[in-house]
Amino acid sequence: MKFISAVIKPFKLDEVRDALSAVGVHGLTVSEVKGFGRQKGHTELYRGAEYVVDFLPKVKLDIAIPDDLLESVVAAIEQTASTGNIGDGKIFVFEMSQVTRIRTGESGNDAV
């Protein structure tokens, strides 16, 4: 089993969710987060005063999947979240040793 954590631009969320459903993802967790990478934030003007926005709004997706879906899930996120501009995000893949569904007690792939 794999655990995917992807950070994307907020306006791409619906498109990515639809693409993930199409490749067989049955559930995911979404969190609103802030961060920066190479883009290092930007300056904005508010009431005549210039200020720096260090942390930019992003959306973090957490997805638990069986091993056989890994390539298609990563490809779906990469293709749909991409704008071709800096700040599109990152996809992190982790090995997941155990998962248990609380309601039924199922574990492993049955719990995903």
Side-chain angles (χ1 to χ4, degrees):
M1 294 176 296
K2 302 291 188 218
F3 185 79
I4 297 176
S5 183
V7 179
I8 63 172
K9 290 183 174 184
F11 68 90
K12 286 293 199 170
L13 177 59
D14 289 336
E15 192 177 338
V16 170
R17 185 194 60 212
D18 292 343
L20 290 173
S21 293
V23 297
V25 172
H26 301 296
L28 58 98
T29 301
V30 177
S31 305
E32 292 181 5
V33 297
K34 291 183 179 186
F36 72 91
R38 290 184 181 161
Q39 64 197 120
K40 307 252 191 304
H42 62 276
T43 58
E44 289 187 4
L45 195 62
Y46 179 73
R47 294 189 177 181
E50 194 173 275
Y51 67 98
V52 176
V53 177
D54 291 327
F55 296 100
L56 301 173
K58 302 289 182 179
V59 173
K60 180 180 175 189
L61 308 174
D62 290 327
I63 311 160
I65 57 168
D67 289 332
D68 60 333
L69 285 181
L70 178 62
E71 297 301 322
S72 59
V73 168
V74 169
I77 296 170
E78 187 176 1
Q79 290 168 3
T80 55
S82 177
T83 65
N85 298 318
I86 193 166
D88 277 349
K90 296 267 193 308
I91 302 170
F92 304 96
V93 179
F94 304 94
E95 190 67 39
M96 191 169 56
S97 62
Q98 167 115 13
V99 61
T100 302
R101 183 172 304 191
I102 295 172
R103 179 177 55 88
T104 62
E106 294 170 299
S107 62
N109 280 338
D110 294 333
V112 175

